[in-house]
Structure formats: structure tokens, C-alpha cells
Amino acid sequence: MKSVISDFEYFTPNTVEEALKLLSQYNEEECKIIAGGQSLIILMKQRLLTPKYLIDIKGISDLDYIKLDGKQGLKIGALATHRAIEKSPVIRNGFSVLAEMEQNVSSVETRNWGTIGGNVSHGDPSGDPAPVLIALNAKLKMTSLSGERIIDAEDFTLDYFETALRHDELLTEIQVPTLPPNTGVKFTKFSQIIGDYALASVGVLVTLDEKKEICSDARIALGAVGTAPMRAKKAEEILKGKRISDDLLAEAGQVASEESSPTTDVEASEEYKRNLVRVLVKRVGGEALERAKKA
Amino acid sequence: MKKELKFVVNGESYDLWVEPNTLLVQVLRDELGLKGTKWSCDSGSCCACAVILDGRVVKSCSIFALQANGKEVLTIEGLANGPELHPIQQAFIDNWAFQCGFCTSGQIMAAKALLDENPKPTREEIQLAMDGHLCRCTGYNMISEAIQDAAKRLQA
Amino acid sequence: MNEYSIIGKPTTNVDGVAKVTGEAVYTFDMTLPNMLHGKLLRSPHPHARIVSIDTSEAEKLPGVKAVITGKDTPGGKYGLWRRFRELADQEILATTKVRFIGDPVAAVAATSEDIAEKALDLINVEYEPLPAVFEPLEAIKDDAPLVHDDFENNINATRHIEWGNVDKAFKNADYVREDRFNLLSQHPAPMEVHSSIASYEKGSGRLTVWSSTQSPYFLQLGLADALKMREGNIRVIKPHVGGAFGGKNSTMPDSVNAAILSMKTGRPVKIVFNREEEFSATEKRTAMHLAIKIGLKKDGTLLAKEVKIITDGGAYTGLGATTLYLAGTWITFPYKTPNYRYDGFRTYTNKMWSSSVRGFGAVSAVYAAETQIDRAARDLGIDPIEIRRRNAMTTGYEAPGQYKVESCGILPCIDKMEQRVKEKWANLDKDEGIGFAAFAYMSGGIFNWIDTPYAFSGAMVKVNIDGTVDLFTQASDIGQGHNTVSVMICAEELGIGIEDIRLHPADTATTLTDLGAWGSRETLMNGNAVKAAAAEVKKKLIEVARMKLGENIVYDLDAKDKRIYIALRPERGFSYYDIVKDAIKGNDGEPLIGIGHYTPHRKGMVSPAYAMGIMGVRAKVDRETGQVEVKEVIVVHDCGQTINPLGARGQVEGSIQMGLGFGLCEDLPTENGLILNPSFVDYKLIRIREMPQIELFDVPTYDPEGPYGAKESAEATTAPTAPALANAIYNAVGVEFDSNVLRLEKVLKALKEKEAKEKGKGRR
């Protein structure tokens, strides 16, 4: 067997600045960033991507960190590997939903080398991290030679494999705010084979009032059922300001399934995926609620 | 244009010049003649190519060789101690944890990485660690048993 | 009860060290000095006339050493069904037309794979697309395009099996039902792709081929036919094989094109398929439409069975004609069927052809039969175990003119299953169900469609002066562990240890013919040959020992524990090593050699022996998503005498993985002949987290035909897995299926339809 990957020129910058300078030298069509390459290399093998220049940022150790700031929350460097997030005690204690999600991303082998920044920048509508970050109300920091931009996770992925990143920008940090009290977050992805690419994935955040009776905030994020991961805002409204019951969760599921826009593919039909959204939002919402009650 | 790749494989240092689009598995198999690491799927889906890179098990078909620059690689050939098999290898033999053997190198490397990190894994933890590995012959259960057996031998 | 030293005891793999250290060499790994790399140019059309091929640009590319098309081959057609020459329908490279997407039209040999691939892009082929046909029921129509001109209505092969009087029996039945099924294809998906290296010696005109094959002999014959060479001038060597599962029986384009390219260039040529080619252009399981009608007495006794099958053969025959026959055979097992009629048709379609895959007809047929019998049991109010028990074969059962079952453990298997299920599965959760399926399978086939004049298996044992043994056998270990079985049998027969024996397998030049690893034949057929070869040597050793002892001839001698001794007085004997020396020195230094053969005789039309059993599956259904979780599996099987319990267990569990795939998630959807999922990303296989716990029970019997009474163990269990699962799903949530691959949506749809029906009937 041989590799069919086309030739390219290869750079290994050591700092963010070096990387950004290189990015600005080449135009968008001919130049790509590689971190862990776990998604990129597959596309290059299929000749869907044939960049002439590859900028390898995996060696930029400044971007590989997981820090907890008491007030500001969690800060994850873009080059933190899936595995590091999965195993991080800081994340397991305070933001366990991230570790749970990472545990089912592909295989250990992929998680050991692939990075969360690489995954999110790829803009894959069925990627697992994005819906969780949306549910957590995370923010993404993008750095260029002219400065930094910070945007909401839900505004980051625009379309099928297209993100808000400009060509001269690098995703450098993911910021997850401290969870409000009485908050529970849960994420589940559904596939025929456990751990496989999601047919549909759902992340739900539920915040309850001081008495833990009324839902003061709900965030419902859907993955793999649109051209980008999305928030089911109408479904959220069903839950907000109310006491969440099983019937309400079922209703939210129904509304979310109508908000989603899955497509039929080799594995499953649009109708089936919509049904999945309905069932998952109901179930995952219920589990988030239980976590909020115990929080 | 070729670039320099300086790395250590199975304890030996190498200084090669490779094209950037060369995958790690190609360098190991074709340049270094270490054919124990296999290549089966072209899509990063089977882990037959798994090796240990700086202590972490990775798919060598999904990493450019140059990304291993300055790093240490352990392949199946580096596991035995001369003629003495590694306890994981012996456990695989004793538990009939392979049949055709084509996925076996990858499985053993992943098992090693697992047991290095988690010396007493539960059955579920083993399954989670080995989930990326496709095997068409064994039905997997005997592999899990071999890894549990290996864990016991390594503890002894 | 037999006391064996080695047979029946867990024995580790004789290739174990090689496989766990990465030292085992597969064709995929091999390189030879001065070797070139070959690639195939494949048709993008499912059916087209080849108007012209221009290879001139490709030939000019630096590094390209040869470009060939059909006109560069000896011409003519070949195929494995050599007994019936009209079924030889394959060409090395398509000459006048292509018949499926992927049909090879040209081949290139170059100094690197990269250059070979670039050369493919430079070959210019002009096609005239022709109307194509993709569905068997369309293909048999009078106005359907013909895939092969000589085959009317695209019917490639037919099969008729009959005994008794089916029509009369149906009239007398209390209960008659007919069900129709659509059974889908499945890919063997071995971990090692098809790989071959051919090396042609210009001086002598001899060819050596290393290939990832199930049968070096079949490959030798196929190459001889295709290349119009003498068999003896072709040597085929099988290195370690990374799995085959039925897809590596035939002479495939990798081997034969590598051979021609080597002949043309005078250098060794290696051809390796990429994974996309492996999925889309290698042999797969035969999909089929199946109608099965049964007539029963009201107590569930089977009176009559009538089966019609039409298979989707694809573009060529391969071993698909055998599948047609076997499907119509396995569908009668393991029950007494007093009256039976089968009509099978194999049709050509413009798709990659289907052939033999693990289970060889049984997987599809048993799915239909074993789900149907549960339906009948439900209608008649009979327990599913009981209805199987009532109809089970017994020792000596004969299907007139077809087969006879000499050893038959199905009844004790059923009893054991019933008992174990009561112990283990007494309490079920909501939406959980248990399902059963009984099964039987061959230990090699009687049929000689390959048209060999040789014994079906041969082996040679050579004992050296120091007592070490060289065992020569052409039998193929493709992962199932046959190398270990051969050595175990040889060791048991000679009374020595595994460590004393060195195996030289699978080389057509140095070993006696064996037909290869398919139809679960190696343990019985090659096992018998090895046993006979060892027995011949043992006879010589015993003669020498007897002379030395000078005892009365009524005293028998045994060979065991490296001694040869009087059976009744074990203290009187000699060391095996001493007798070996005497045998050689005392016979003018002639080597100690034993040769053994086996061919089944007077064993009916199907197989010399049948393994049997019953499987139980416990599964849970998620009513809202259609997800099926397979929790546990119990298998009770009769394989005569298990030779190596480790190997047998490995095979059973592996075959269940494939059976679950057939039942849940493996299929090859095509659109206009194009396979839509030719990669492990989209072709879903059961992985470690889906695999259920499996309990295996052995019900030993003894088949007089098998070595130490052994029969096959575990291609059989591929077949009952999916139907047992389908039955479990019915018992869990009440839905039936007329097809396999019970993927999510299918189950959910069935549940919704059931719900709608029940609402319609006014039930809650």
C-alpha cells in the first residue's frame, strides 16, 4: 500500500507568531495548518485536500495547556490533545462533560495525537467537541498578527467544514466559563457502532433556580444534524422558566427535531435522524436535569 | 524537498532524509524494514498500524514521519528482550488472542500503552482502550482475556 | 473415553512467536530484489464495450517497464468451476467488454507504486456504455441486457435437488406456510488486502507466485489455465495470510496480472490492492431472493419443505455456483425432512461478482429457515426449543441421494441449551428477548468441480536421525489455526511432542496436493492425510521395535510419550529416539518417510461429516431508536472431537462477529453498480465494545470419518447468529423481518408499523 498524499513544503514554527507570519505569506487555497492531523490526513489521503504548503503547529508547546482560573473558568490551549482533556483531573472534577465526550471521540490512538483546536477548526458538522462547547457557552479565541478576537462557540462553525477563522488567524484558546450553581450538563452521541461518527449528538445544559425547582437556563446543542453544530433555541424556550417534567422534555425533543436539518446518507435517513434528535434531547435533557438537581 | 528526520526507534537512533508527505508507517516499514507494523485500511479506521510514540499509542498511518522528529518510537520489534518475549506477547500466545495475526502488532502495542498507564484495568477499561482496533478473526473476547492475563503477569 | 496426549488439549499456536513479534511474513510485507510494482486500471462503467485502449503515453512515463491490455494475454477464459467449462467466464483483462465497475482492463508495472499510479492516469480507454442490469429479478427478464452472451436470461447456473413427494406431503400437512426473504451481501473484509508477487524465470519458463491465498493449489490451477502454462511450471507459495474468509479462493486479478507483467519484464512484480479495491472489486457473499414453504403436522413435525432461490451472481461465476448448491442443502439441516424440493438459479448482473464467504450458503439459507420455524412454532403454540427437538436429525439419518449423517449430536446439544438457558437467562429485563437457531455444516465438500485428479489432501512425514520430524503439507492456515492442528495430529500419532515437529506448509512444489482452506475441510481432510502419513512412519517404527522385543505377535505396541512399548506392559519398550536410529541405520540409511492421502468415498454428495449445534442469543431492543444490544450468546456444538479447544473457541467467537455483522450492520449498498461504502469508515464492523459474552459448550461425539473423530468447528456458527438474533428481537418487541442487516431504522420502522397495525385493530 502506498500513500497517495500529494507533495508539499513543510514548516515547523515554534511560536504562534512564527506560525502567523508563515500563514500570511501564503494564500488560503495553497496553505493549510496541521496540528494532530487526525482529520486532515484522512482528507489528504483522499486527495480532497492537496495543499502546497503545510504549517505544522504541533510543536508550539505554548498552546498545550489546561488551566483553571477560579473566577474566569477553564482555559484550554488549542493544542491540548483529546486525551489530555479526557484525563485531566481539573476537567473531570469541574467540567466532567468534556471528559465524558472526549472518552468517546474515535479511539485512544486518535485522542493521543489529535487536538481539540484541530478538531474544532476543522468545522466538521458531526464533530463531538463543538456541541459540548456550545452547550457550555464556551468562547473561542482567535489570534492573528493584528490582535485577538473572541467569539461564542455557537458562532464559530458557519457551514459544512467552514469556520469563522480567517485565513490569517489561528484558534489559540477555548474558554469555558465557570458553571453557574445548580447546573448540570450532559452530552450523548448516538451511532450504530459505539464510539463511531455520530448520527446525531446532543449536549444539554440545565440551570435550576435556588430552590432547584424552576429551570432558569437551558442550552441545547445539536451535532451532526445540520451543516454545522447548532443550538436548538426554540426547544430551549420550551424548558426555560418552567418546572421540567417528562412531558416538557418530550415536547422540547419534538421541537428540537423540527429545528434540526439532518440529511439522508448511506447510514440513515433524514427522518430517522430527526427522530434521534427528538429522543436524545428528551433523554439527555433529563440527565442534565438530574445532574443539576445533584449539583 | 526532503527534510531531516532524527528520531529513536526501538532504542536506536536514526538520521534520515524524507519527503514531508511520507507517513510514519512508511518510514518504519519501507526505510527501516520494520514490517511488523501493518497497514490495512487507508482511512485511519483500523489501528493495525499502531505504534508507541513518546509513550503514547498512535496510528502511524495518520502521522507524518517528520512529526516524529526528535521523538522516540516503539514498535512491535522493540518489545521482546532479545529472545525473551514480553509478558504481553506471551499472554497473547497463551490465550489464543490472535488468529491470522495481521492486527496483532497494533493490538499488542495498544495493550502495552494501556498497561503502562493503568496496570489493573477493568474489562470495560480494556474495551475502551482497544476500541479502535479492528479484528476480523477473534471476536475480541480472547484479546481482552489476554490483556487481563498480561496485567496479572506484569503485577507479579 | 479416549486418553490422548495432545488431541483435545489446549495448545498454543505453532506460529505464535512469529505473529506476536511481528516476524511473521505476509505477502503484503514481501519484497524481492529488482521488484516492480503493479497496478490495475479498472472500468468506471458497470457495462460497456471497449472501443479502444491507447497505452502509448503511459508507456513513455519514466519508470514504467510494462503496460498490458487484454491483447497481451494468452486469451481465452478461466474459472474455478473447471469441471463445467462453460462456467469458465473470466478473462485476465477484459478484451471486448467490461461487466462491472472495477473490471480490470489494463495493468502497469513500474519502479514505484507512485509511478504505476500516475501511468494509469495516462492510459486512454474509450468505452461505449451499454445498458446494465443490477437486480436478479430484472436480469432474468427476456428484455434484460445480457452480461454474457452465451447465457440466456442471464442464468449462469441452476440447481435442482429433490427427494420424496413434496406436493403430496403438503396436501397432507395440517399447517403450511410460505415466507419470502431478501438476503443481502456481505464482504469478507480481511485485514490483509489481496497481495501477490509473481516472479518469472525467463530461462526456464517457470513461474513462482507468492500470494495471500486460501489455496495454493487452486491458484496454481487457475494460473495454469489462464496463462496456458503447464501446472508443474507454476509454483505457488502461501506465506502467512492476514485473513481470507472465502474471498481468496479464486484466481484474482492481482496474481494473474502480476504473473503476466513479470513475464513481460523479466522481473518480479508485486500487486497489492488498496482498501477501496478490496471492498469494491473482490469476492463477496452471495445475495439472494429466497422463498421457503414448509408443511407441518400440528405437533410441529416437518413433513415437507420447498425452496426456491435466485442469487445475485454478479459479473462472473467464481465459486458462486457452489453457493447455489449449498444454500439449497444447508436449508434442510439439521432437521429430518421427509420430502424436499429445491430449485436454485444463479443470475449474472453487472456488479462485482459474489462467491464463497464464510458459511458458504448456510448464512443466508439458515437465516430464512430458522426465523421461519420460529414463526411456525408461534402459530402452532409450540416452544421453539421443542419444535427443533421434535425434528432434529439422529445418527444415521439419510437424505436420499444427497447425504447421510454418521455422527449426530444435535439432540444432546438442544438438551444442554434448554438446561443452560433455564440456569442463566431465567430473568429478562423489559424489551429483552431470547432467540434460538440450530445449525449444521460440512467438514469439507465432496464435490470436485475443480476437476482435480489428485487425492483431496496429501501429507508427507520425514523423520530425521535425531527424531525431529519435517511435516510437509499443502494445507492452508489462513488464521484458523490449521498449522497447529496438523502438528498436533502428527505429534499424537507418533507419540512425540509438538516441539519435535517442523511444519513446511503450503508450497505446491514441495508438498502434496491439498485443496485449500474452504468449507471447513482442513481438520478432517488434511488431518486425515497427516494422520495417515504419520501412521505409515509409526508402522515402520513399531516393526523395528517388535523385532527388537522378539515378543509374541499378539502383543500390540503403542507409541506415546516418546516411547514405543507393549501396550499391556508399558515398562517394556524403547525410546522413540533409539528406534528412529535403528529404523534408519537398519534400512541401508534410507530416510524414514510416510505419505498419507485422503479423499472422501461413498459419503454422499455433500460432505464426509457434519458438525451440528444450536445457538441462543439474548438481546435488548431500544424501542425509541431501534438500537439492538446483543447481551450474551450461548453456543452448544458437536464437532466430534475438538482437536484444539483454544483454536475451536477462537473460530466460534470470530464467526459470531461475522454473523452479527450479517445480522446488524454489514452491507454493501450499491447505486447503478457502484458500491457506496468501500472503506472501514462506512462499512460498519462489530468492534470490541459491541461483542457479547459468549459461552461455548462442547457435546463430544465421534465421527468415524474424522481424525480422532473430529469434524469441523466453527464456520458453522456464522450461520445461526443472525437468525437467533432476529428471533430474540421478535421475542423482545414482537417484530419480524424478511431481510437481514437489522440496522436501527429497519427495526424502528418495523416497530412503528406494528404499532400502527395494533392501533388500527383497536388494540392499545
Side-chain angles (χ1 to χ4, degrees):
Chain A
M1 268 171 157
K2 63 168 281 298
S3 164
V4 291
I5 297 181
S6 57
D7 292 329
F8 52 82
E9 245 184 274
Y10 178 71
F11 306 100
T12 48
N14 291 310
T15 65
V16 173
E17 204 181 318
E18 271 175 51
L20 289 171
K21 282 201 180 115
L22 281 165
L23 258 183
S24 62
Q25 280 182 285
Y26 303 102
N27 66 44
E28 203 166 341
E29 289 81 49
E30 26 171 45
C31 167
K32 268 275 170 193
I33 299 272
I34 184 171
Q38 299 302 285
S39 305
L40 187 71
I41 288 188
I42 296 181
L43 295 179
M44 289 178 78
K45 278 185 183 176
Q46 292 169 347
R47 293 266 169 104
L48 291 170
L49 282 175
T50 53
K52 293 223 288 271
Y53 308 98
L54 209 61
I55 302 171
D56 184 351
I57 60 170
K58 187 102 164 92
I60 302 180
S61 47
D62 288 344
L63 289 180
D64 186 1
Y65 57 87
I66 298 170
K67 290 192 280 223
L68 184 63
D69 176 303
K71 292 193 197 108
Q72 290 177 28
L74 185 64
K75 294 196 192 298
I76 307 174
L79 291 182
T81 61
H82 296 289
R83 187 69 168 165
I85 295 168
E86 181 190 345
K87 295 274 162 198
S88 154
V90 152
I91 288 180
R92 286 181 143 178
N93 287 329
F95 300 85
S96 63
V97 66
L98 278 168
E100 287 155 14
M101 173 272 297
E102 290 292 13
Q103 195 175 71
N104 285 297
V105 167
S106 190
S107 61
V108 171
E109 285 83 355
T110 305
R111 302 202 288 280
N112 269 332
W113 203 250
T115 63
I116 191 164
N119 180 292
V120 175
S121 315
H122 195 54
D124 186 344
S126 60
D128 300 340
V132 178
L133 295 176
I134 293 173
L136 287 169
N137 199 9
K139 297 200 186 318
L140 273 47
K141 180 160 85 177
M142 302 174 289
T143 309
S144 67
L145 287 171
S146 40
E148 287 176 356
R149 287 196 297 149
I150 298 185
I151 64 171
D152 290 335
E154 70 196 78
D155 297 326
F156 183 77
T157 317
L158 303 174
D159 204 340
Y160 204 57
F161 296 101
E162 213 184 290
T163 67
L165 272 175
R166 291 196 296 255
H167 171 64
D168 62 345
E169 281 176 320
L170 265 184
L171 174 66
T172 47
E173 187 177 80
I174 295 168
Q175 302 167 344
V176 183
T178 309
L179 295 175
N182 303 333
T183 295
V185 198
K186 181 84 171 95
F187 170 81
T188 291
K189 81 170 172 188
F190 184 92
S191 16
Q192 164 127 49
I193 305 293
I194 306 171
D196 200 358
Y197 295 103
L199 285 175
S201 64
V202 171
V204 179
L205 178 149
V206 165
T207 303
L208 298 172
D209 66 359
E210 306 111 38
K211 289 198 200 145
K212 290 197 178 175
E213 283 173 4
I214 306 291
C215 167
S216 55
D217 192 19
R219 296 176 65 87
I220 300 176
L222 310 176
V225 288
T227 57
M230 52 179 281
R231 263 177 77 187
K233 290 188 180 162
K234 291 191 192 138
E236 289 170 2
E237 292 306 314
I238 303 281
L239 301 177
K240 280 197 224 175
K242 305 199 193 76
R243 178 187 302 277
I244 300 180
S245 64
D246 286 345
D247 285 340
L248 209 61
L249 284 168
E251 201 188 325
Q254 180 58 35
V255 171
S257 77
E258 287 156 17
E259 281 184 87
S260 67
S261 42
T263 48
T264 299
D265 62 25
V266 179
E267 235 197 306
S269 71
E270 178 200 322
E271 195 191 317
Y272 178 78
K273 293 180 188 181
R274 262 188 219 286
N275 172 71
L276 268 186
V277 172
R278 186 181 58 77
V279 173
L280 286 175
V281 166
K282 179 183 68 162
R283 291 180 182 178
V284 177
E287 288 166 312
L289 175 66
E290 288 310 304
R291 284 188 172 183
K293 285 183 185 162
K294 288 195 188 117
Chain B
M1 204 181 73
K2 291 193 179 182
K3 291 196 112 123
E4 194 172 9
L5 169 60
K6 275 173 136 163
F7 67 157
V8 174
V9 180
N10 299 332
E12 272 187 56
S13 300
Y14 293 93
D15 191 345
L16 310 169
W17 286 80
V18 299
E19 291 288 350
N21 64 351
T22 312
L23 297 165
L24 180 57
V25 65
Q26 290 174 292
V27 165
L28 294 172
R29 285 178 57 89
D30 302 334
E31 295 281 335
L32 303 183
L34 298 168
K35 303 271 186 179
T37 304
K38 303 302 179 197
W39 196 350
S40 179
C41 80
D42 262 354
S43 55
S45 329
C46 76
C47 290
C49 67
V51 297
I52 294 179
L53 178 61
D54 273 3
R56 293 177 279 173
V57 66
V58 294
K59 289 178 283 190
S60 61
C61 77
S62 302
I63 294 183
F64 288 121
L66 288 172
Q67 283 203 318
N69 191 35
K71 295 187 165 40
E72 269 191 57
V73 180
L74 184 67
T75 73
I76 188 75
E77 289 92 345
L79 209 54
N81 187 7
E84 207 183 296
L85 294 178
H86 189 280
I88 297 176
Q89 290 171 311
Q90 191 60 53
F92 265 61
I93 290 177
D94 294 340
N95 288 277
W96 199 270
F98 54 86
Q99 292 178 31
C100 84
F102 206 74
C103 75
T104 305
S105 304
Q107 304 261 12
I108 290 178
M109 298 320 285
K112 165 134 174 57
L114 167 68
L115 295 177
D116 282 348
E117 192 189 278
N118 180 357
K120 281 199 201 155
T122 62
R123 185 70 172 238
E124 214 185 299
E125 285 169 333
I126 292 174
Q127 290 185 336
L128 189 59
M130 305 305 290
D131 184 45
H133 292 261
L134 260 186
C135 174
R136 197 39 156 174
C137 292
T138 65
Y140 307 106
N141 290 342
M142 291 167 95
I143 295 176
S144 296
E145 285 169 25
I147 297 176
Q148 284 174 312
D149 187 12
K152 286 201 195 102
R153 293 178 197 218
L154 287 167
Q155 294 277 293
Chain C
M1 202 44 214
N2 284 305
E3 257 306 307
Y4 297 121
S5 307
I6 294 168
I7 302 297
K9 306 220 157 61
T11 305
T12 57
N13 199 314
V14 297
D15 299 314
V17 175
K19 288 184 175 177
V20 299
T21 55
E23 278 163 22
V25 176
Y26 302 79
T27 314
F28 183 79
D29 298 323
M30 288 175 62
T31 55
L32 292 176
N34 210 24
M35 190 176 81
L36 298 171
H37 296 269
K39 291 274 169 197
L40 298 169
L41 181 68
R42 299 179 178 276
S43 163
H45 301 286
H47 201 196
R49 201 174 65 80
I50 299 171
V51 176
S52 65
I53 308 183
D54 181 3
T55 58
S56 54
E57 287 305 308
E59 288 168 44
K60 288 186 204 145
L61 189 67
V64 169
K65 299 299 173 190
V67 183
I68 57 171
T69 63
K71 63 169 173 33
D72 299 302
T73 68
K77 299 194 180 188
Y78 65 94
L80 271 190
W81 264 73
R82 300 175 348 136
R83 195 73 188 274
F84 301 88
R85 288 286 164 174
E86 68 273 16
L87 292 182
D89 55 9
Q90 278 176 262
E91 292 177 293
I92 298 174
L93 292 168
T95 49
T96 51
K97 68 171 186 172
V98 290
R99 296 180 172 87
F100 71 98
I101 297 177
D103 209 349
V105 299
V108 170
T111 49
S112 77
E113 285 189 73
D114 212 2
I115 295 174
E117 278 220 21
K118 291 199 171 93
L120 292 184
D121 289 335
L122 297 174
I123 300 174
N124 219 334
V125 185
E126 206 189 313
Y127 294 101
E128 181 200 313
L130 299 167
V133 64
F134 303 114
E135 157 54 54
L137 298 173
E138 291 297 314
I140 54 174
K141 291 187 176 158
D142 287 331
D143 58 352
L146 284 183
V147 180
H148 290 267
D149 293 335
D150 302 335
F151 291 82
E152 228 178 285
N153 294 93
N154 284 312
I155 295 184
N156 156 254
T158 60
R159 259 304 183 173
H160 179 83
I161 304 173
E162 187 165 0
W163 65 76
N165 186 336
V166 151
D167 299 312
K168 187 164 164 216
F170 277 128
K171 289 206 180 86
N172 293 331
D174 297 322
Y175 171 90
V176 174
R177 72 174 293 137
E178 178 168 359
D179 294 274
R180 288 176 174 240
F181 293 86
N182 183 25
L183 288 329
L184 307 175
S185 185
Q186 181 179 25
H187 200 277
M191 293 308 285
E192 186 199 11
V193 292
H194 278 62
S195 316
S196 292
I197 301 178
S199 182
Y200 181 74
E201 267 173 38
K202 279 210 237 253
S204 62
R206 293 194 179 124
L207 181 70
T208 306
V209 174
W210 293 261
S211 189
S212 184
T213 176
Q214 291 173 233
S215 176
Y217 180 57
F218 279 11
L219 187 53
Q220 183 189 28
L221 293 181
L223 288 171
D225 279 357
L227 300 171
K228 302 207 194 323
M229 284 176 68
R230 292 206 314 193
E231 268 167 52
N233 283 336
I234 300 177
R235 177 181 188 178
V236 178
I237 300 169
K238 177 204 75 75
H240 286 289
V241 170
F245 312 107
K248 292 176 177 174
N249 269 323
S250 301
T251 308
M252 291 293 282
D254 56 320
S255 56
V256 66
N257 282 287
I260 302 214
L261 288 167
S262 181
M263 286 158 125
K264 243 202 152 194
T265 58
R267 294 165 68 165
V269 176
K270 180 178 185 182
I271 295 185
V272 171
F273 288 177
N274 60 38
R275 188 48 72 173
E276 195 187 322
E277 285 176 293
E278 186 68 30
F279 268 118
S280 59
T282 65
E283 294 170 314
K284 56 196 166 89
R285 190 182 294 289
T286 304
M288 57 183 81
H289 296 289
L290 192 156
I292 174 172
K293 180 173 161 189
I294 49 175
L296 310 176
K297 294 209 290 215
K298 56 171 172 278
D299 72 351
T301 310
L302 187 63
L303 292 176
K305 186 178 274 188
E306 183 175 21
V307 176
K308 291 197 177 77
I309 290 179
I310 179 163
T311 73
D312 184 350
Y316 300 100
T317 308
L319 276 180
T322 311
T323 311
L324 186 72
Y325 172 60
L326 288 176
T329 302
W330 300 128
I331 206 161
T332 62
F333 279 80
Y335 307 119
K336 293 179 177 167
T337 315
N339 302 282
Y340 179 61
R341 182 162 64 213
Y342 167 62
D343 283 289
F345 303 87
R346 183 175 190 273
T347 63
Y348 282 122
T349 55
N350 290 113
K351 292 189 291 194
M352 173 58 209
W353 77 96
S354 56
S355 186
S356 56
V357 174
R358 190 175 197 171
F360 217 163
V363 174
S364 318
V366 170
Y367 187 88
E370 286 297 292
T371 48
Q372 185 190 51
I373 195 153
D374 254 35
R375 294 177 192 179
R378 286 193 286 273
D379 283 350
L380 293 171
I382 301 173
D383 175 81
I385 294 246
E386 190 52 38
I387 200 169
R388 290 172 166 90
R389 179 183 279 129
R390 229 160 255 182
N391 290 296
M393 288 173 175
T394 48
T395 306
Y397 171 74
E398 203 168 328
Q402 285 296 314
Y403 55 82
K404 185 175 177 192
V405 176
E406 301 281 6
S407 71
C408 178
I410 182 70
L411 280 171
C413 287
I414 291 174
D415 289 341
K416 175 71 187 173
M417 175 65 77
E418 191 177 48
Q419 176 216 353
R420 187 62 187 145
V421 166
K422 282 201 184 105
E423 286 166 6
K424 199 173 155 82
W425 291 346
N427 300 309
L428 296 176
D429 281 346
K430 183 173 174 299
D431 294 339
E432 262 190 10
I434 299 171
F436 302 106
F439 61 93
Y441 197 68
M442 62 185 167
S443 312
I446 304 280
F447 15 87
N448 187 8
W449 29 255
I450 195 71
D451 206 25
T452 181
Y454 292 115
F456 281 15
S457 192
M460 186 176 97
V461 166
K462 167 169 84 80
V463 182
N464 304 306
I465 192 71
D466 55 4
T468 57
V469 173
D470 288 300
L471 171 60
F472 298 83
T473 155
Q474 205 168 107
S476 293
D477 190 325
I478 51 171
Q480 85 281 46
H482 185 69
N483 284 353
T484 307
V485 164
S486 304
V487 172
M488 286 173 77
I489 289 176
C490 184
E492 182 71 47
E493 192 65 21
L494 289 175
I496 58 177
I498 305 257
E499 67 283 358
D500 293 309
I501 303 172
R502 185 176 178 158
L503 182 66
H504 306 270
D507 177 340
T508 56
T510 59
T511 57
L512 305 176
T513 297
D514 174 87
L515 301 186
W518 54 269
S520 292
R521 56 179 298 287
E522 298 288 32
T523 295
L524 190 144
M525 297 201 181
N526 183 250
N528 275 333
V530 169
K531 187 165 189 279
E536 199 171 273
V537 168
K538 178 164 130 183
K539 187 158 176 256
K540 292 178 187 172
L541 295 175
I542 282 180
E543 270 168 31
V544 170
R546 185 185 295 289
M547 274 208 301
K548 280 181 82 150
L549 281 170
E551 272 292 349
N552 190 313
I553 62 161
V554 302
Y555 287 115
D556 294 314
L557 281 83
D558 270 349
K560 199 169 171 159
D561 298 328
K562 307 196 190 192
R563 292 184 69 242
I564 302 187
Y565 57 92
I566 299 179
L568 288 173
R569 298 221 186 105
E571 70 281 4
R572 297 208 55 205
F574 309 98
S575 133
Y576 156 84
Y577 298 104
D578 288 341
I579 297 297
V580 165
K581 289 194 180 84
D582 290 344
I584 293 173
K585 287 182 183 170
N587 192 19
D588 212 23
E590 273 185 33
L592 250 183
I593 290 185
I595 290 182
H597 287 105
Y598 175 80
T599 300
H601 289 291
R602 285 195 270 265
K603 289 281 154 196
M605 303 282 287
V606 185
S607 178
Y610 304 90
M612 314 228 166
I614 183 167
M615 180 182 290
V617 168
R618 174 180 177 162
K620 187 174 176 137
V621 180
D622 182 330
R623 284 182 187 266
E624 288 186 302
T625 63
Q627 178 84 302
V628 175
E629 191 190 338
V630 182
K631 300 226 148 195
E632 285 174 318
V633 175
I634 302 174
V635 180
V636 187
H637 77 164
D638 151 34
C639 55
Q641 162 74 55
T642 302
I643 302 282
N644 185 358
L646 285 177
R649 181 187 162 197
Q651 283 285 280
V652 169
E653 300 202 347
S655 70
I656 290 174
Q657 190 259 8
M658 188 178 270
L660 286 177
F662 185 79
L664 285 174
C665 55
E666 290 184 46
D667 66 349
L668 290 163
T670 56
E671 201 175 271
N672 294 328
L674 179 69
I675 289 175
L676 299 174
N677 59 344
S679 87
F680 284 134
V681 174
D682 297 314
Y683 186 88
K684 304 295 181 188
L685 288 155
I686 298 286
R687 290 181 181 247
I688 196 171
R689 291 204 266 177
E690 269 84 28
M691 204 61 197
Q693 283 285 31
I694 299 167
E695 237 185 28
L696 173 62
F697 295 97
D698 204 14
V699 166
T701 59
Y702 183 93
D703 198 290
E705 194 71 2
Y708 308 101
K711 299 187 280 192
E712 85 91 41
S713 68
E715 200 177 337
T717 35
T718 323
T721 311
L725 176 61
N727 290 336
I729 292 173
Y730 181 87
N731 291 322
V733 292
V735 288
E736 289 174 359
F737 301 93
D738 61 4
S739 185
N740 58 306
V741 187
L742 304 177
R743 174 182 280 126
L744 310 171
E745 197 152 359
K746 226 183 213 173
V747 175
L748 196 64
K749 211 167 156 209
L751 282 165
K752 291 208 165 125
E753 278 168 12
K754 175 171 183 271
E755 220 178 273
K757 237 197 243 171
E758 280 172 355
K759 278 205 182 112
K761 286 185 187 163
R763 264 187 270 156
R764 197 172 59 82

